[in-house]
Amino acid sequence: MLETASKEIDETRQGEAIERYSKGASSNGRKVYIESYGCQMNFSDSEIVASILEKEGYETTKLMQDADIVFVNTCSIREKAEQTVRKRLSSFHKVKEEKPGMIIGVLGCMAERMKSKLLDEEKLVDIVVGPDAYRDLPQLVNQVDGGRKAVNVILSKEETYGDISPVRLGGNGVTSFVSITRGCDNMCTFCVVPFTRGRERSRDPKTIVNEVRELSANGYKEVTLLGQNVDSYLWYGGGPKKEFEKLSEEEKAQSVNFAQLMEMVAQVDPNVRVRFSTSHPKDMTDDVLHVMAKYDNICNYIHLPFQSGNSRVLEMMNRGYSREWYLDRVNAIRRIIPDCAISADVIAGFCSETEEEHQDTLSLMEEVKYHFSYMFKYSERPNTLAQRKFEDDVPEEVKQRRLSEIIALQQEHSFEQLKKDIGKTYKVLVEGVSKKSDKELYGRNTHNSVVVFPRGNYKAGDYVDVKINDCTSATLLGEAVA
Ligand code: SAH
Ligand code: SF4
Ligand code: F3S
């Protein structure tokens, strides 16, 4: 999914804590600290959790030491992600030894995957709550107050939290995530998400548009529509995507698909830019691309994971497309939106991947020349189809070497793509002051590339025309033009 300035490969950003301190009017005197790991969905969910708890009088705090309740919103996507969480839980447990009343809860995908095993095996936590059970949190905290451990990992076919207005945690006040679907029905063989997030369902477009209106009224300038497979968005009145087929033709005609939703969102405010993530090659339609081309405020940027450049491996991954199909989608993007940046996710060393098949991944990268990629070594996850059916037989050092080759090639391509921008002028949405120098601001252009330029009198939330003078392999450098 989308990433910020860092060209580092994933796991590092998972440690970012999101925090906020709020003075709730009807405070119950208890403070909650939430730390989030994993994908943007999780960060977005933590904002829903904060909203549910604030309604009950809890305050959120950015200081763990001040908290009465500590929640860790967890990720299971790769083994390393879970190890990070385990380490964090142990360190919170040490704090708890000094502060016995403190409650520690595990939210999110690891909670769903491990369920009550987290209570039994780890003995580090008091509450375990899956991604569809956050409305139950106040009740679960009461249960722990009453001296019992609490678990709710029930997955729902309907829950989208559509009616909940998220509390924006630790953001920049300029860009925000808006979740549009939950769950995933795709069953890629390597992936835990269908098990941790349940069946795919879409959120009522009215609530999505309302949330975007509210963000616009509060000064936000960019929304990213979130889902595991946004192209699969389909609103027909609520409930699992799979039930759609049972509707009458008349009912089906009333539904809202992703292209239509995006158009509705783009029309809310021409000054609010629209992004989305993640697109799925098997479901991305030309309609979506035409809507992108039609609206200036929809960014020319698509995150289109390919996972592998070889059709046999893609088949084993159950991705639902071949190399040729993927490249056809890339051609459609190039045709309909000539100036569109594309980024990707890719996995090195999936079960039985040969050297030639790995070369196909590199050659696909050569054909597309991604602006950016998230690159991973295959990590076998318990109970996935791949774990049950295939052997994780590519040796660790081979996986590592293949990953390094992928990373090196991607770095070349990123640099090559950014160099093309030198001399051009881009409209940049300022997100804040550069980490390296307070005399500089940073923001993003339509391609989602980070642009750094001298501060002048500009501030976060401004759109500034910036002429690009130079670049590194990850960042564009420029100056504001009148
Ligand atoms: N729904 C998105 C992906 C969400 S997970 C999509 O289908 O594109 C984000 C990325 O993590 C995936 O695209 C994949 O590249 C990677 N990933 C998922 N499971 C993995 C595993 N078991 N080992 C290594 N990488 C994995
Ligand atoms: Fe996982 Fe595949 Fe669903 Fe993405 S589309 S979340 S990789 S199962
Ligand atoms: Fe991780 Fe769950 Fe997201 S497994 S990547 S937090 S959907």
Side-chain angles (χ1 to χ4, degrees):
M1 298 192 130
L2 300 181
E3 174 56 298
T4 53
S6 164
K7 288 246 354 134
E8 285 308 319
I9 319 310
D10 181 54
E11 326 279 354
T12 49
R13 82 199 162 107
Q14 293 179 336
E16 286 170 42
I18 55 169
E19 320 118 319
R20 176 173 176 271
Y21 181 74
S22 82
K23 295 189 181 74
S26 54
S27 167
N28 67 10
R30 295 174 91 181
K31 287 184 185 157
V32 182
Y33 170 82
I34 311 175
E35 198 166 286
S36 302
Y37 295 84
C39 65
Q40 293 156 338
M41 287 302 285
N42 253 15
F43 284 73
S44 168
D45 279 3
S46 292
E47 300 187 332
I48 288 165
V49 167
S51 175
I52 290 169
L53 292 169
E54 284 197 2
K55 266 216 179 77
E56 297 297 316
Y58 293 89
E59 292 177 15
T60 45
T61 172
K62 60 180 176 183
L63 299 171
M64 196 269 286
Q65 314 78 278
D66 284 358
D68 305 290
I69 306 176
V70 170
F71 284 127
V72 189
N73 199 352
T74 60
C75 176
S76 288
I77 201 82
R78 286 167 290 277
E79 201 183 335
K80 210 169 146 193
E82 289 199 351
Q83 281 165 1
T84 309
V85 167
R86 285 203 169 86
K87 275 194 211 127
R88 234 15 217 152
L89 288 175
S90 307
S91 83
F92 290 146
H93 192 69
K94 288 206 183 82
V95 177
K96 188 181 159 116
E97 280 167 3
E98 310 284 304
K99 201 176 163 186
M102 192 171 99
I103 293 175
I104 301 177
V106 180
L107 314 176
C109 291
M110 199 171 156
E112 192 62 50
R113 194 183 78 69
M114 309 237 347
K115 305 189 168 57
S116 55
K117 266 196 235 154
L118 267 172
L119 299 179
D120 309 338
E121 281 176 18
E122 316 274 325
K123 300 207 192 306
L124 296 175
V125 302
D126 308 293
I127 304 184
V128 177
V129 190
D132 287 344
Y134 297 145
R135 286 180 205 267
D136 201 21
L137 270 168
Q139 190 277 121
L140 295 168
V141 172
N142 290 343
Q143 197 172 315
V144 174
D145 289 339
R148 284 176 299 151
K149 302 258 174 183
V151 184
N152 187 344
V153 287
I154 297 170
L155 286 172
S156 160
K157 287 183 183 151
E158 281 87 26
E159 181 65 273
T160 61
Y161 303 107
D163 58 316
I164 293 179
S165 172
V167 168
R168 304 293 164 191
L169 292 163
N172 52 16
V174 177
T175 62
S176 181
F177 298 129
V178 174
S179 139
I180 65 163
T181 69
R182 295 185 73 82
C184 185
D185 285 346
N186 282 331
M187 291 303 220
C188 301
T189 53
F190 52 79
C191 185
V192 287
V193 173
F195 304 97
T196 62
R197 292 262 166 182
R199 299 283 62 79
E200 182 181 321
R201 64 222 101 120
S202 296
R203 177 178 171 193
D204 186 340
K206 281 200 234 66
T207 70
I208 296 170
V209 167
N210 283 342
E211 190 174 328
V212 176
R213 280 205 189 108
E214 201 180 298
L215 286 163
S216 154
N218 288 325
Y220 282 80
K221 296 286 175 56
E222 182 181 295
V223 295
T224 302
L225 307 178
L226 288 186
Q228 292 302 344
N229 173 354
V230 287
D231 301 290
S232 177
Y233 176 88
L234 192 61
W235 172 257
Y236 61 88
K241 167 93 189 261
K242 288 227 158 100
E243 307 275 305
F244 180 73
E245 284 313 317
K246 295 185 189 158
L247 302 184
S248 69
E249 289 311 310
E250 210 174 291
E251 285 167 318
K252 281 185 184 168
Q254 305 283 316
S255 62
V256 177
N257 66 21
F258 182 55
Q260 293 162 325
L261 175 76
M262 198 146 65
E263 190 145 23
M264 290 161 81
V265 171
Q267 285 171 351
V268 168
D269 179 348
N271 274 314
V272 170
R273 295 205 300 203
V274 183
R275 299 187 187 277
F276 50 88
S277 185
T278 300
S279 300
H280 197 300
K282 92 179 153 62
D283 295 316
M284 191 188 69
T285 62
D286 287 2
D287 285 353
V288 167
L289 302 176
H290 286 298
V291 171
M292 289 177 74
K294 181 170 161 193
Y295 289 90
D296 273 350
N297 60 328
I298 302 179
C299 292
N300 287 354
Y301 169 70
I302 299 182
H303 184 60
L304 193 68
F306 68 105
Q307 315 297 4
S308 164
N310 176 272
S311 296
R312 186 195 74 88
V313 175
L314 286 168
E315 171 89 41
M316 274 182 75
M317 289 175 162
N318 193 31
R319 285 290 288 179
Y321 55 85
S322 61
R323 176 188 175 101
E324 291 67 35
W325 175 281
Y326 184 91
L327 288 172
D328 170 75
R329 295 291 76 211
V330 171
N331 285 336
I333 297 171
R334 304 273 189 244
R335 189 174 68 242
I336 299 167
I337 318 162
D339 178 37
C340 190
I342 308 177
S343 63
D345 294 346
V346 50
I347 298 176
F350 185 61
C351 312
S352 80
E353 183 189 68
T354 66
E355 213 48 47
E356 292 73 44
E357 289 165 340
H358 164 61
Q359 289 301 325
D360 286 342
T361 287
L362 298 175
S363 76
L364 185 132
M365 291 173 71
E366 285 288 4
E367 280 199 42
V368 181
K369 294 219 189 316
Y370 296 100
H371 268 68
F372 182 85
S373 287
Y374 296 106
M375 301 158 277
F376 310 105
K377 270 186 285 187
Y378 172 58
S379 163
E380 186 178 79
R381 307 309 294 130
N383 298 322
T384 53
L385 290 169
Q387 188 261 327
R388 284 184 271 154
K389 292 204 317 207
F390 311 132
E391 202 184 330
D392 180 13
D393 55 359
V394 177
E396 178 58 27
E397 60 279 12
V398 176
K399 278 185 191 169
Q400 184 55 54
R401 196 248 310 141
R402 288 180 189 170
L403 178 65
S404 303
E405 289 173 12
I406 290 170
I407 293 172
L409 188 60
Q410 180 55 50
Q411 271 169 354
E412 272 176 37
H413 291 164
S414 294
F415 198 28
E416 206 175 312
Q417 290 290 9
L418 292 186
K419 274 195 284 199
K420 283 192 204 158
D421 290 335
I422 295 175
K424 292 184 190 161
T425 297
Y426 283 105
K427 186 167 154 184
V428 172
L429 173 60
V430 180
E431 291 181 20
V433 176
S434 160
K435 283 185 193 114
K436 289 198 183 129
S437 155
D438 63 4
K439 293 191 178 63
E440 290 179 319
L441 296 174
Y442 80 95
R444 276 161 213 275
N445 67 4
T446 186
H447 296 155
N448 207 39
S449 302
V450 174
V451 182
V452 173
F453 64 99
R455 193 165 183 168
N457 291 320
Y458 301 107
K459 58 179 189 316
D462 288 347
Y463 284 109
V464 183
D465 286 326
V466 178
K467 180 159 186 252
I468 308 304
N469 299 323
D470 201 359
C471 71
T472 69
S473 66
T475 310
L476 295 171
L477 310 168
E479 60 189 341
V481 291

